[in-house]
Amino acid sequence: MGGSSMLWGFMGFIGTLVVLALLALLVVFLVKKAKQKKFGPGGSGPMGHHPHHRPFLPPALQILDERLARGEIEVEDYMTRKAALLGSQGPATNEWTPQAPTPPKPADEPTSDAGDDPGI
């Protein structure tokens, strides 16, 4: 008779573990669903992107970005190539373009208090 009560005690323990496992699965499901609502279908950011990473670029643009970062190409060349890859005539309006340095202004010539006649 002691073995029968021990069996029921063991089954009660297993039942408790099953209920706890089901609760854990429910919590995981609800957290994932909340993330999808907040960050989009990928669950990691707006439109499926991780919030701290750049969106996916086509391989050609990614290589072009890396070449610019390594200093292999100049900014003007980068902008021209990127525009060609994207099929536009020029750089996008939200892109940064380098400005030519402005020449320094010449120093003002000293004025004389003698009047308008420079021969004096």
Side-chain angles (χ1 to χ4, degrees), residues 8-119:
W8 283 111
F10 183 70
M11 292 300 280
F13 177 72
I14 295 297
T16 303
L17 287 179
V18 168
V19 169
L20 289 176
L22 288 174
L23 283 174
L25 287 174
L26 179 66
V27 168
V28 168
F29 173 76
L30 292 175
V31 167
K32 282 188 175 188
K33 190 170 183 162
K35 265 189 174 181
Q36 282 182 348
K37 230 181 217 185
K38 184 176 180 182
F39 291 121
S44 56
M47 299 178 53
H49 301 295
H50 192 278
H52 300 292
H53 293 282
R54 294 176 30 182
F56 173 77
L57 290 174
L61 287 177
Q62 193 171 8
I63 292 169
L64 190 62
D65 284 353
E66 290 169 3
R67 289 186 65 195
L68 177 67
R70 287 191 299 259
E72 293 176 8
I73 58 175
E74 296 295 322
V75 175
E76 266 186 47
D77 189 24
Y78 167 82
M79 299 301 283
T80 304
R81 290 175 189 233
K82 184 173 182 179
L85 286 170
L86 295 175
S88 61
Q89 296 298 321
T93 56
N94 63 349
E95 293 277 345
W96 174 83
T97 53
Q99 301 293 326
T102 56
K105 293 182 180 179
D108 291 335
E109 293 182 19
T111 57
S112 65
D113 293 332
D116 292 319
D117 189 11

